Amino acid sequence: MKLNLTSVIAGALACAATLAAVAETALAAESKITILYDAFGDDAAMKKDWGFSALVEVAGKRILFDTGNDRDIFAANVKAKNIDLTNLDFVVLSHRHSDHMAGLSHVLSVNPKVKIYAPREGFGIYGSSLPSSFYRKDESLPPQMRYYDGKPPEVMTFGTAWQGANFEPIEKTTEVAPGITLIALVSDVPGTRELRELSLAVNTADGLVLLVGCSHPGIDKIVEAAAAINPKIHLIAGGFHLVVAPDDTIAKTVAALKDTFKVENVAPGHCTGEPTFTALKQAFGNRYIYAGVGTSLPLGPSTGVGQRRGERPALEEDDLTIYRKLARREDPFGLLQARGLQ
């Protein structure tokens, strides 16, 4: 009887271990980044436009990172990928440029209470507050010429472009969920100086997965901050902000990613720029992962397996035409201005 009981226990433990392994494998298979908005891609069901958005599904969380440049295009792409926005854990808006946040109105139309992390700014589109002591006062004026009749509230609260939205401002690098960190930096580049930006870092068993919106503070500075969380950078995806950068700047940045920070895989998109796509593909070889709109990037041990790894040009001719047209449409980041100042 004792032997039988031991066998039963052993069998039960083996079964539990198997089930746990299966569950872990299933979870890993579900972990991915889906590109919902960009100006290039080969998914016929997806519309192309200048901007960025991605859905991150990892560690049991569903995170929407940025919302693109146009509400209707964003909504169409979400529908094309059969994405459910009603059960998001939270939204991250990387920065205040319209090509990263215009689709938020669609998100709020279907999920009005979702938490939205955004950079904290002293006075900005996401809402803010300041102590009323920030402005100089002149008590010699009559009440009708003074702000709030000379009796301002202790804290002055400023509205947002999305009244009633559940914004949570992020001022410094913050872990918002176990293993999930928002890296907060400020640009000091001419044209975008003082622009605050958030990047998403997810700590996985394979290393850090880093999702960037536009990298205005500098992709090297963002990676340096990410390396403080985990020096093993498994994957960087998103916009590297080199769309008008000269060749020497591109070469220096690519070398830093590959040789200094030892980044394992790159999946560039959005404002990375065509010459930078080429330079990254040459430097990283089969560790360059195509990330056009509609692409899903698995996270975990299978990262890149079965995916286009850069064997052909990152952008096909039709994509190049569209990408260049959209990139020239305006100068939303001050990039052309910055280049003129160099």
Side-chain angles (χ1 to χ4, degrees), residues 80-94:
K81 298 301 289 185
N82 196 28
I83 302 296
D84 183 3
L85 297 177
T86 64
N87 62 353
L88 297 171
D89 287 279
F90 54 87
V91 175
V92 178
L93 294 181
S94 62

Side-chain angles (χ1 to χ4, degrees), residues 263-309:
V263 174
E264 294 179 355
N265 300 277
V266 293
H270 184 44
C271 59
T272 300
E274 295 171 19
T276 313
F277 290 151
T278 299
L280 286 167
K281 188 176 66 173
Q282 291 173 346
F284 282 84
N286 67 357
R287 295 183 291 123
Y288 178 103
I289 303 172
Y290 181 85
V293 62
T295 305
S296 287
L297 313 174
L299 304 179
S302 61
T303 298
V305 174
Q307 287 185 277
R308 185 182 313 159
R309 302 287 290 185

Side-chain angles (χ1 to χ4, degrees), residues 217-228:
I219 185 63
D220 53 338
K221 292 184 179 180
I222 296 173
V223 175
E224 182 179 22

Side-chain angles (χ1 to χ4, degrees), residues 100-130:
H100 290 255
M101 62 184 188
L104 182 60
S105 56
H106 174 69
V107 178
L108 293 173
S109 72
V110 298
N111 192 347
K113 299 300 181 183
V114 66
K115 178 176 286 188
I116 306 162
Y117 292 111
R120 179 186 291 277
E121 298 180 330
F123 194 91
I125 195 169
Y126 305 124
S128 56
S129 61
L130 287 173

Side-chain angles (χ1 to χ4, degrees), residues 74-83:
F74 173 76
N77 285 352
V78 166
K79 183 178 180 180
K81 298 301 289 185
N82 196 28
I83 302 296

Side-chain angles (χ1 to χ4, degrees), residues 8 16 97 147 166 191 236 240 260 262 266 278 281 326:
V8 170
H97 285 157
Y147 302 128
N166 182 18
I236 306 176
F240 292 11
T260 303
K262 310 293 184 184
V266 293
T278 299
K281 188 176 66 173
L326 292 170

Side-chain angles (χ1 to χ4, degrees), residues 16 65 75 77 92 104 109 118 124 140 163 166 169-170 179 218 239 252 254 318:
F65 185 89
N77 285 352
V92 178
L104 182 60
S109 72
S140 68
Q163 190 168 351
N166 182 18
I170 298 294
K252 188 181 300 183
V254 171
D318 287 346

Side-chain angles (χ1 to χ4, degrees), residues 19-317:
L19 289 174
V22 169
E24 184 176 353
T25 300
L27 182 59
E30 293 171 358
S31 296
K32 60 184 177 181
I33 298 173
T34 302
I35 309 301
L36 297 176
Y37 211 105
D38 212 323
F40 70 101
D42 57 8
D43 187 333
M46 306 293 282
K47 296 184 178 182
K48 300 169 190 172
D49 187 37
W50 190 264
F52 188 71
S53 176
L55 178 69
V56 182
E57 297 171 278
V58 66
K61 301 291 186 183
R62 300 182 77 252
I63 305 161
L64 182 64
F65 185 89
D66 285 341
T67 64
N69 180 64
D70 182 282
R71 171 193 169 118
D72 294 337
I73 293 176
F74 173 76
N77 285 352
V78 166
K79 183 178 180 180
K81 298 301 289 185
N82 196 28
I83 302 296
D84 183 3
L85 297 177
T86 64
N87 62 353
L88 297 171
D89 287 279
F90 54 87
V91 175
V92 178
L93 294 181
S94 62
H95 63 291
R96 64 176 181 254
H97 285 157
S98 60
D99 59 329
H100 290 255
M101 62 184 188
L104 182 60
S105 56
H106 174 69
V107 178
L108 293 173
S109 72
V110 298
N111 192 347
K113 299 300 181 183
V114 66
K115 178 176 286 188
I116 306 162
Y117 292 111
R120 179 186 291 277
E121 298 180 330
F123 194 91
I125 195 169
Y126 305 124
S128 56
S129 61
L130 287 173
S132 58
S133 58
F134 88 91
Y135 71 88
R136 294 180 60 196
K137 298 170 178 63
D138 186 346
E139 296 183 1
S140 68
L141 288 172
Q144 65 269 26
M145 291 184 66
R146 302 191 65 194
Y147 302 128
Y148 301 98
D149 297 324
K151 299 176 181 178
E154 185 175 342
V155 176
M156 297 170 60
T157 302
F158 307 105
T160 80
W162 301 273
Q163 190 168 351
N166 182 18
F167 281 102
E168 182 166 331
I170 298 294
E171 185 169 15
K172 60 183 180 180
T173 296
T174 304
E175 186 178 51
V176 294
I180 300 175
T181 301
L182 294 178
I183 297 172
L185 293 175
V186 183
S187 172
D188 61 1
V189 178
T192 59
R193 199 179 302 278
E194 298 185 357
L195 179 69
R196 297 173 179 269
E197 185 164 341
L198 301 180
S199 302
L200 178 68
V202 181
N203 218 351
T204 75
D206 298 294
L208 204 70
V209 172
L210 181 62
L211 185 60
V212 292
C214 242
S215 303
H216 290 98
I219 185 63
D220 53 338
K221 292 184 179 180
I222 296 173
V223 175
E224 182 179 22
I229 301 170
N230 185 344
K232 185 180 180 183
I233 309 297
H234 181 59
L235 171 68
I236 306 176
F240 292 11
H241 197 58
L242 296 165
V243 69
V244 298
D247 289 343
D248 58 340
T249 299
I250 293 172
K252 188 181 300 183
T253 302
V254 171
L257 296 179
K258 182 175 181 289
D259 301 325
T260 303
F261 296 107
K262 310 293 184 184
V263 174
E264 294 179 355
N265 300 277
V266 293
H270 184 44
C271 59
T272 300
E274 295 171 19
T276 313
F277 290 151
T278 299
L280 286 167
K281 188 176 66 173
Q282 291 173 346
F284 282 84
N286 67 357
R287 295 183 291 123
Y288 178 103
I289 303 172
Y290 181 85
V293 62
T295 305
S296 287
L297 313 174
L299 304 179
S302 61
T303 298
V305 174
Q307 287 185 277
R308 185 182 313 159
R309 302 287 290 185
E311 295 84 353
R312 62 174 177 168
L315 298 181
E316 296 299 322
E317 191 58 39

